[in-house]
């Protein structure tokens, strides 16, 4: 912690841009120099230098729009950085939220770039739906600073070229800034989180007179992720939408508002042009940049809901909605121990990894980051839901009193249990919509993070046998029954079938928790988790008096496993 930044429970991170943040790693940032923003449908990584280097759109497993994280030249990025030569950077979340603030300090002034994706205000009548926008706010809170903005998308994993057109917006007039009618609530957020006083009667704003429209070419691929019989997966995993970039500008104190001009600029990748802009802000000035998919439905009802008139007031309301959403969510946390701030921050990040439509938990928002630099090969796509990882996440949520997420995930598990494998088991991973197909494909045109190729999308381990998943899942189900909501009979029938499957297959070699892509082996961890699965099933029988014709077989198998583990999973030579 340092300076006057609000407390978040996460230590501030300091770097100087002039020290060469990217030059030190040959054009890349260290992974710990990124923050995460999202809307429970997708997420973006924001670097400490103000650059969004990774974002898949509009879903977690959709093709990337920005992917400089995996190729410094071709990947695409959206950067807002100060032009001053020597700058200190700090990045932290606004309290109790997933709104990310990146602060730049130099001799001439102090500026802040605030990034968020909208979440609707709880129990709001006027803003009950989510606006699927990426919003970036730029403001100066002391002195004067010049910023450089660059937006260079690279659609479809940098495979698909696009056209750029800068359209004029005729209903905006920069010469006569519109008076900002400040009707927002005088909430705690305006005084604690924001440096912008919406109640100032001298506040003025205007909408941008132009917008940049990025139109990708039509593309179809006959191999790789998205080639699936699951229609919902196909639509999400092949989604390449036209997008636009707009802006609104405001200033306080009666001064003249800054002028923003979007300029077409060539991108070295050859995929298409981007836009740049250089602008100077003084204390009290603010610019919002908004990136979104352009509306495809032109009906009046759709446009009224998802394409409202853009204004400074409206975008500020979206920011306040988002802050209130995250505050309301984390207030449900029942942990009040010594590590409260750290635990709450971890919970907020885990929540960002949940996929709202189904309750699934994405293992990571990224794909193909290497497990170790120089260890070529182990670069996997983690934008799917693993039974193991999701079970651990649900355990964490339940112990923190965040039981709504556990209920949603149990609904997802019920759906998976309705369509088991032919042998009665589950896959180790599924798509976020419960699909089974995630064909793996190498993208040879991307160099990989810090030149650690290959870059892969999809995951070929989906059909692996990993018996440990049943122990983690059954343990989470047992805790769900204990801390969240009693299992129904129908849920028990599904769980009982899984325990029977474990009893039939516990002695099989598998790929293990490490997902080795070679010969199956007898892993101690898998055997222990098989014991856990059967044990938790027996506990549920005893505590809930659920019917179980195979109880004696379960007990015998559990005891047999225990003895085998103690006898065969111990090497006295390593004692």
């Amino acid at each position: 912690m340092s300076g006057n930044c609000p407390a978040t429970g996460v230590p501030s991170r300091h770097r100087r841009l002039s020290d060469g943040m990217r030059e030190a790693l040959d054009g890349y940032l260290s992974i710990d120099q990124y923050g995460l923003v999202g809307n429970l449908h997708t997420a973006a990584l924001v670097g400490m230098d103000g650059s969004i280097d990774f974002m898949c759109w509009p879903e977690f497993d959709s093709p990337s729009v920005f992917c400089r994280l995996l190729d410094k030249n071709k990947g695409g990025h959206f950067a807002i950085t100060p032009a001053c030569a020597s700058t200190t950077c700090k990045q932290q979340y606004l309290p109790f939220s997933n709104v990310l603030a990146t602060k730049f300090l130099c001799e001439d002034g102090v500026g802040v770039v605030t990034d968020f994706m909208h979440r609707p205000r709880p129990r709001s009548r006027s803003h009950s739906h989510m606006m699927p926008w990426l919003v970036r706010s730029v403001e100066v809170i002391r002195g004067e600073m010049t910023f450089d903005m660059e937006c260079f998308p690279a659609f479809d994993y940098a495979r698909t070229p696009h056209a750029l057109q800068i359209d004029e917006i005729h209903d905006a007039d920069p010469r006569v800034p519109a008076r900002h009618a400040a009707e927002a609530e005088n909430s705690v957020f305006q005084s604690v989180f924001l440096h912008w006083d919406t109640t100032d009667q001298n506040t003025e704003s205007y909408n941008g007179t132009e917008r940049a429209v990025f139109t990708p070419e039509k593309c179809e691929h006959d191999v790789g992720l998205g080639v699936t019989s699951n229609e919902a997966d196909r639509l999400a995993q092949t989604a390449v939408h036209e997008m636009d970039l707009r802006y609104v500008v405001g200033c306080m104190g009666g001064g003249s508002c800054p002028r923003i001009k979007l300029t077409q600029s060539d991108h070295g990748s050859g995929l298409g042009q981007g836009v740049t802009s250089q602008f100077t802000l003084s204390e009290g000035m603010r610019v919002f940049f908004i990136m979104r998919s352009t509306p495809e439905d032109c009906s009046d009802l759709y446009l009224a809901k998802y394409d409202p008139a853009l204004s400074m007031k409206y975008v500020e309301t979206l920011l306040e909605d988002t802050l209130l959403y995250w505050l309301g969510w984390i207030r449900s946390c029942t942990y009040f121990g010594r590590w409260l701030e750290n635990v709450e921050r971890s919970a907020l990040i885990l929540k960002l990894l949940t996929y709202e439509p189904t309750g699934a938990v994405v293992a990571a928002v990224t794909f193909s980051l290497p497990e170790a630099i120089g260890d070529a090969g182990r670069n996997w796509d983690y934008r799917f839901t693993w039974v193991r990882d999701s079970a651990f996440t649900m355990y964490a949520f339940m112990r923190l009193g965040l039981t709504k997420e556990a209920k949603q995930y149990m609904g997802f598990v019920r759906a998976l249990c309705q369509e088991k494998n032919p042998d009665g088991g589950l896959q180790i991973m599924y798509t976020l919509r419960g699909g089974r197909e995630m064909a793996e494909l190498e993208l040879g045109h991307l160099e990989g993070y810090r030149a650690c190729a290959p870059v892969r999308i999809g995951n070929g381990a989906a059909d692996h046998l990993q018996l440990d998943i049943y122990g983690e899942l059954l343990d989470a189900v047992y805790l769900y029954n204990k801390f969240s909501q009693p299992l129904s009979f129908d849920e028990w029938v599904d769980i009982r079938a899984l325990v029977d499957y474990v009893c039939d297959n516990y002695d099989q070699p598998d790929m293990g928790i490490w997902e080795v892509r070679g010969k199956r082996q007898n892993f101690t961890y898998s055997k222990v988790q098989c014991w856990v699965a059967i044990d938790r099933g027996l506990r549920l029988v005893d505590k809930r008096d659920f019917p179980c014709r195979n109880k004696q077989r379960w007990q015998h198998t559990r005891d047999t496993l225990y003895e085998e583990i103690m006898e065969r999973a111990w090497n006295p030579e390593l004692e």
Side-chain angles (χ1 to χ4, degrees):
M1 304 301 298
S2 66
N4 297 319
C5 298
T8 66
V10 178
S12 297
R13 298 173 286 173
H14 301 259
R15 299 289 189 276
R16 288 192 178 274
L17 294 182
S18 59
D19 292 340
M21 294 172 64
R22 292 182 181 271
E23 287 77 0
L25 297 179
D26 193 26
Y28 293 92
L29 290 182
S30 174
I31 297 300
D32 66 350
Q33 293 177 352
Y34 285 99
L36 182 70
V37 297
N39 59 8
L40 310 187
H41 290 253
T42 190
L45 290 180
V46 185
M48 284 191 61
D49 60 354
S51 177
I52 292 179
D53 287 349
F54 186 92
M55 184 179 77
C56 294
W57 189 269
E59 307 276 282
F60 287 112
D61 54 349
S62 296
S64 62
V65 175
F66 303 120
C67 196
R68 181 156 67 166
L69 184 70
L70 295 176
D71 195 301
K72 62 187 178 185
N73 297 315
K74 305 187 191 76
H77 64 280
F78 183 3
I80 302 176
T81 56
C84 45
S86 181
T87 306
T88 299
C89 309
K90 303 179 181 180
Q91 191 179 73
Q92 50 192 172
Y93 289 96
L94 299 187
F96 315 111
S97 81
N98 280 317
V99 176
L100 186 68
T102 306
K103 184 177 290 187
F104 302 103
L105 301 91
C106 66
E107 292 183 0
D108 297 330
V110 178
V112 180
V113 175
T114 303
D115 292 285
F116 71 97
M117 293 184 186
H118 176 243
R119 288 296 305 166
R121 183 188 305 232
R123 296 176 294 279
S124 171
R125 294 182 180 180
S126 58
H127 297 86
S128 58
H129 63 280
M130 184 186 77
M131 298 302 296
W133 295 356
L134 169 67
V135 184
R136 312 200 71 188
S137 162
V138 193
E139 61 182 315
V140 169
I141 58 177
R142 182 183 64 79
E144 181 179 277
M145 292 186 71
T146 298
F147 290 88
D148 291 312
M149 186 279 291
E150 298 178 346
C151 184
F152 289 100
F155 292 94
D156 189 27
Y157 307 108
R159 294 184 294 185
T160 301
H162 67 268
L164 168 65
Q165 181 173 329
I166 297 181
D167 294 338
E168 292 186 3
I169 302 176
H170 297 289
D171 59 351
D173 187 355
R175 297 168 299 175
V176 186
R179 182 70 61 181
H180 185 137
E183 300 174 356
E185 302 172 11
N186 187 20
S187 69
V188 65
F189 299 105
Q190 292 170 336
S191 60
V192 176
F193 293 160
L194 311 179
H195 306 289
W196 186 263
D197 184 5
T198 59
T199 63
D200 189 334
Q201 295 303 309
N202 292 320
T203 298
E204 295 181 341
S205 65
Y206 74 89
N207 300 339
T209 58
E210 54 192 357
R211 67 168 184 152
V213 182
F214 304 94
T215 307
E217 295 180 2
K218 297 293 183 181
C219 59
E220 291 186 6
H221 306 286
D222 55 5
V223 293
L225 191 62
V227 180
T228 172
S229 59
N230 186 306
E231 182 66 12
D233 281 342
R234 185 187 67 79
L235 290 174
Q237 294 169 358
T238 61
V240 180
H241 295 291
E242 180 181 82
M243 302 185 74
D244 67 11
L245 177 66
R246 302 176 293 166
Y247 61 90
V248 292
V249 182
C251 55
M252 296 187 303
S256 60
C257 292
R259 298 291 172 255
I260 307 296
K261 178 65 177 177
L262 300 180
T263 303
Q264 289 181 302
S265 180
D266 291 326
H267 193 287
S269 68
L271 293 172
Q273 290 186 315
V275 292
T276 62
S277 181
Q278 186 175 83
F279 51 92
T280 300
L281 302 181
S282 302
E283 185 174 345
M285 295 181 178
R286 188 176 204 175
V287 182
F288 278 106
F289 291 98
I290 302 99
M291 195 166 189
R292 59 163 189 173
S293 298
T294 57
E296 298 179 354
D297 186 340
C298 295
S299 66
D300 292 341
L301 182 62
Y302 181 90
L303 292 178
K305 187 174 183 180
Y306 290 106
D307 191 26
L310 194 62
S311 68
M312 179 67 73
K313 169 64 168 61
Y314 185 77
V315 183
E316 287 169 350
T317 302
L318 296 185
L319 174 55
E320 186 165 320
D321 285 351
T322 305
L323 290 165
L324 285 168
Y325 171 84
W326 290 115
L327 174 64
W329 183 80
I330 199 61
R331 274 180 171 173
S332 300
C333 179
T334 58
Y335 177 85
F336 293 103
R338 178 182 179 184
W339 310 106
L340 178 62
E341 291 182 349
N342 289 6
V343 168
E344 289 185 340
R345 172 50 49 203
S346 298
L348 284 162
I349 294 299
L350 285 177
K351 177 63 175 176
L352 273 182
L353 300 180
T354 59
Y355 181 61
E356 186 177 50
T358 64
V361 180
V362 63
V365 304
T366 55
F367 59 91
S368 278
L369 288 177
E371 293 188 4
I373 301 300
D375 183 17
R378 298 188 63 81
N379 310 346
W380 312 120
D381 188 348
Y382 288 107
R383 297 172 300 159
F384 309 105
T385 182
W386 268 252
V387 173
R388 175 192 309 110
D389 301 50
S390 301
F392 287 143
T393 302
M394 289 309 106
Y395 171 79
F397 279 144
M398 285 185 290
R399 294 310 303 263
L400 297 177
L402 303 167
T403 57
K404 179 181 177 181
E405 286 66 29
K407 294 176 183 177
Q408 291 176 326
Y409 180 67
M410 277 301 300
F412 182 71
V413 170
R414 280 292 316 278
L416 299 183
C417 289
Q418 301 305 308
E419 298 183 7
K420 298 185 184 74
N421 295 338
D423 63 357
L426 298 175
Q427 286 194 175
I428 65 168
M429 70 180 86
Y430 293 84
T431 71
L432 301 177
R433 289 153 291 276
R436 297 168 172 271
E437 302 167 69
M438 48 203 84
E440 189 171 286
L441 176 68
E442 290 190 9
L443 303 179
H445 64 288
L446 298 177
E447 72 170 19
Y449 177 70
R450 296 178 60 183
C452 291
V455 173
R456 296 185 180 95
I457 56 174
N459 200 305
D463 59 353
H464 280 192
L465 176 65
Q466 296 178 17
L467 293 171
D468 67 281
I469 67 171
Y470 300 97
E472 291 121 2
L473 177 60
L474 265 293
D475 189 47
V477 168
Y478 174 78
L479 294 171
Y480 172 80
N481 178 81
K482 181 177 181 179
F483 293 111
S484 181
Q485 182 172 302
L487 287 178
S488 68
F489 175 74
D490 290 337
E491 290 171 333
W492 165 247
V493 171
D494 291 331
I495 297 305
R496 184 176 63 187
L498 293 180
V499 179
D500 284 334
Y501 173 84
V502 174
C503 290
D504 291 337
N505 294 276
Y506 76 91
D507 57 350
Q508 299 295 315
D510 69 348
M511 300 294 197
I513 188 174
W514 297 275
E515 296 182 4
V516 294
R517 297 199 174 190
K519 184 180 178 180
R520 292 183 180 182
Q521 304 176 52
N522 285 296
F523 289 98
T524 299
Y525 182 79
S526 296
K527 304 306 181 187
V528 170
Q529 288 297 333
C530 285
W531 179 91
V532 171
I534 302 171
D535 179 75
R536 298 306 185 264
L538 287 167
R539 291 193 191 191
L540 287 169
V541 170
D542 293 339
K543 291 182 179 297
R544 293 289 308 279
D545 290 326
F546 281 130
C548 181
R549 296 188 182 94
N550 295 330
K551 183 177 180 180
Q552 288 185 343
R553 183 192 181 210
W554 289 9
Q555 291 173 328
H556 174 74
T557 304
R558 181 187 63 175
D559 294 345
T560 299
L561 258 172
Y562 193 112
E563 292 184 352
E564 286 188 3
I565 292 168
M566 298 305 293
E567 292 173 2
R568 304 178 63 184
W570 176 257
N571 187 343
E573 296 179 1
L574 300 178
E575 185 176 0

